[in-house]
Amino acid sequence: MVHCLQFPINQDHQLCIQHQKTTSQTHSKRVEKERKKERKKEMANFPLINMEKLNGEERGVIMEKINDACENWGFFEMVNHGISHELMDKVERMTKEHYKKCMEQRFKEMVAAKALEGVKAEVTDMDWESTFFLRHLPSSNISEIPDLEDEYRNLMKEFAGKLENLAEELLDLLCENLGLEKGYLKKAFYGSKGPNFGTKVSNYPPCPTPELIKGLRAHTDAGGIILLFQDDTVSGLQLLKDGEWIDVPPMRHSIVINLGDQIEVITNGRYKSVMHRVIAQTDGTRMSLASFYNPGNDAVIYPAPALLEKEPIEKEQSYPKFVFDDYMKLYAGLKFQAKEPRFEAMKAVETNVSVGPVATA
Ligand SMILES: O=C(O)CCC(=O)C(=O)O
Ligand SMILES: [Fe+2]
């Protein structure tokens, strides 16, 4: 009898919990659906710039689109940027061949040695990527990198030369939009030996647990302007916009641009470096070549005075002045953290920076 009495009560209770569960599941499903729709919309809005149109009557519209992308996305994707498709196809083919021949086995051994294949909890101190770094400026290290065929070395030198020109062209477009004199950003990056310019060649192999180990953990880039040649079929790069991770759509022969922390400082926050990450896929290896056009080590970075003049008093000098290399030393340990504490830390040591000639006696 007791059982009989209790049973319906329990069942009601059970049903009640079940009902609450179902309602909250429906609610969270609805929220997730809304979010997905929102993400899709944002992805469709991802700024795509046809650089060819800069030479025509639509120049003003395109410049405005670039400005909007810099202010609101920190990212844009360029087509018809002037680098030949033939050159890009060859770079892609040889990079993929090099990965298969020289890097893939090494990556598999690293995964086995670190037992990354069967992880059960989130890995927060490693990335699921296979990389090497080519330095182009101030001096090239391409001849010192082992395992590269001469043809690949020469190809990468040629590609880097084209990207360097494109980076400088872009910096001038940014100057124009910001109302800074032509050449201002290039000069600001120059220091005594010219800019640092290098390419990180990456492959993100298939990962059995992409939710537990990122291809590359979320970060903002420390430097100036980044030009990315990414795989046109295997996706994975995402940027954070209004609290949502948005896919950067793969597109054949496009170059993706994003802005680093130094552009944020020089523009006093008008343009922002934006958090991004790479999610490895469960099938398919994603290739990417990220070329970083950064200030020289001894370049002194600070908000452009011409931009500060336009700011209300309270926003004036909200960013620090520092030597770029000091920022890089700080970044080395804090890359995967928010940028704001880095800016604050640089502010704290700012008084030591001298822009003029150093007194020696
Ligand atoms: O591989 C990519 O798409 C992005 C790489 C990146 O964000 C980086 O190396 O800083
Ligand atoms: Fe990055």
Side-chain angles (χ1 to χ4, degrees):
M1 199 63 201
V2 173
H3 268 104
C4 275
L5 260 179
Q6 270 184 348
F7 185 64
I9 292 169
N10 263 347
Q11 199 180 35
D12 270 1
H13 185 60
Q14 212 41 27
L15 280 174
C16 187
I17 291 174
Q18 197 59 42
H19 176 69
Q20 276 173 7
K21 253 190 177 167
T22 321
T23 322
S24 74
Q25 268 170 7
T26 322
H27 176 71
S28 60
K29 262 192 190 148
R30 203 172 341 114
V31 170
E32 186 46 37
K33 223 173 150 185
E34 282 300 315
R35 280 200 169 154
K36 250 192 185 152
K37 239 167 77 187
E38 210 40 49
R39 277 202 298 268
K40 261 204 162 142
K41 211 170 77 196
E42 288 288 22
M43 210 176 139
N45 286 338
F46 188 87
L48 180 64
I49 309 287
N50 184 349
M51 296 292 281
E52 224 166 44
K53 289 196 176 170
L54 280 173
N55 304 318
E57 55 192 28
E58 283 179 71
R59 186 169 205 279
V61 179
I62 302 296
M63 287 301 281
E64 185 41 51
K65 223 172 151 184
I66 295 175
N67 187 58
D68 182 74
C70 293
E71 284 186 346
N72 299 310
W73 291 77
F75 269 82
F76 56 93
E77 188 154 6
M78 304 188 303
V79 289
N80 298 323
H81 38 62
I83 300 187
S84 89
H85 293 179
E86 199 190 347
L87 177 62
M88 294 181 87
D89 288 343
K90 199 164 174 199
V91 167
E92 179 172 353
R93 178 175 57 76
M94 294 207 78
T95 301
K96 288 183 173 174
E97 278 171 14
H98 175 263
Y99 173 71
K100 277 273 161 216
K101 206 168 130 193
C102 305
M103 307 289 285
E104 188 178 36
Q105 188 53 30
R106 211 177 302 162
F107 183 80
K108 285 183 176 161
E109 283 162 18
M110 185 279 290
V111 166
K114 299 205 152 81
L116 292 177
E117 195 85 56
V119 290
K120 295 277 179 288
E122 189 171 2
V123 177
T124 54
D125 59 350
M126 280 195 66
D127 305 298
W128 188 270
E129 61 170 5
S130 159
T131 68
F132 62 96
F133 190 78
L134 301 175
R135 195 182 63 236
H136 315 301
L137 295 175
S139 59
S140 171
N141 72 345
I142 293 190
S143 61
E144 296 148 34
I145 307 290
D147 304 333
L148 302 186
E149 282 174 21
D150 279 350
E151 193 187 357
Y152 188 43
R153 280 184 220 276
N154 293 334
L155 181 71
M156 291 309 283
K157 269 190 198 161
E158 184 188 347
F159 188 48
K162 306 272 187 223
L163 288 168
E164 181 192 337
N165 293 339
L166 191 52
E168 291 178 356
E169 229 176 85
L170 284 165
L171 287 183
D172 271 342
L173 293 177
L174 265 52
C175 284
E176 192 178 327
N177 271 337
L178 290 161
L180 294 171
E181 74 206 42
K182 194 170 163 39
Y184 182 92
L185 289 170
K186 185 177 172 186
K187 223 190 279 170
F189 280 15
Y190 203 82
S192 66
K193 296 190 184 68
N196 279 301
F197 184 50
T199 300
K200 182 180 152 202
V201 181
S202 311
N203 279 277
Y204 302 91
C207 177
T209 52
E211 65 292 353
L212 296 181
I213 179 162
K214 298 280 176 295
L216 180 58
R217 288 161 284 166
H219 63 283
T220 66
D221 291 336
I225 189 162
I226 298 89
L227 301 90
L228 180 79
F229 174 20
Q230 63 165 345
D231 205 290
D232 61 344
T233 50
V234 184
S235 63
L237 178 61
Q238 297 183 325
L239 65 92
L240 192 61
K241 187 169 191 304
D242 307 325
E244 297 280 356
W245 288 105
I246 313 284
D247 291 327
V248 177
M251 193 177 293
R252 194 154 161 77
H253 300 136
S254 76
I255 292 183
V256 175
I257 301 299
N258 74 290
L259 306 177
D261 295 348
Q262 308 311 305
I263 294 285
E264 177 162 340
V265 173
I266 295 174
T267 65
N268 204 41
R270 180 166 148 190
Y271 293 168
K272 293 206 167 51
S273 62
V274 162
M275 276 275 183
H276 52 284
R277 67 181 187 185
V278 177
I279 304 294
Q281 304 297 318
T282 48
D283 50 358
T285 298
R286 174 175 180 270
M287 174 207 81
S288 85
L289 295 101
S291 297
F292 300 83
Y293 187 101
N294 290 353
N297 289 355
D298 62 357
V300 179
I301 303 298
Y302 53 96
L307 297 182
L308 284 184
E309 275 168 22
K310 296 182 196 160
E311 298 280 19
I313 296 283
E314 65 278 8
K315 248 202 99 187
E316 266 186 37
Q317 203 67 44
S318 41
Y319 285 87
K321 176 192 243 176
F322 50 83
V323 174
F324 179 62
D325 197 39
D326 290 340
Y327 190 84
M328 287 312 277
K329 283 183 187 137
L330 181 75
Y331 182 81
L334 300 173
K335 172 169 174 174
F336 299 109
Q337 293 183 30
K339 63 194 165 182
E340 291 79 8
R342 296 199 291 265
F343 294 146
E344 288 308 314
M346 294 317 291
K347 257 194 221 173
V349 291
E350 165 167 26
T351 43
N352 299 329
V353 177
S354 141
V355 199
V358 178
T360 49

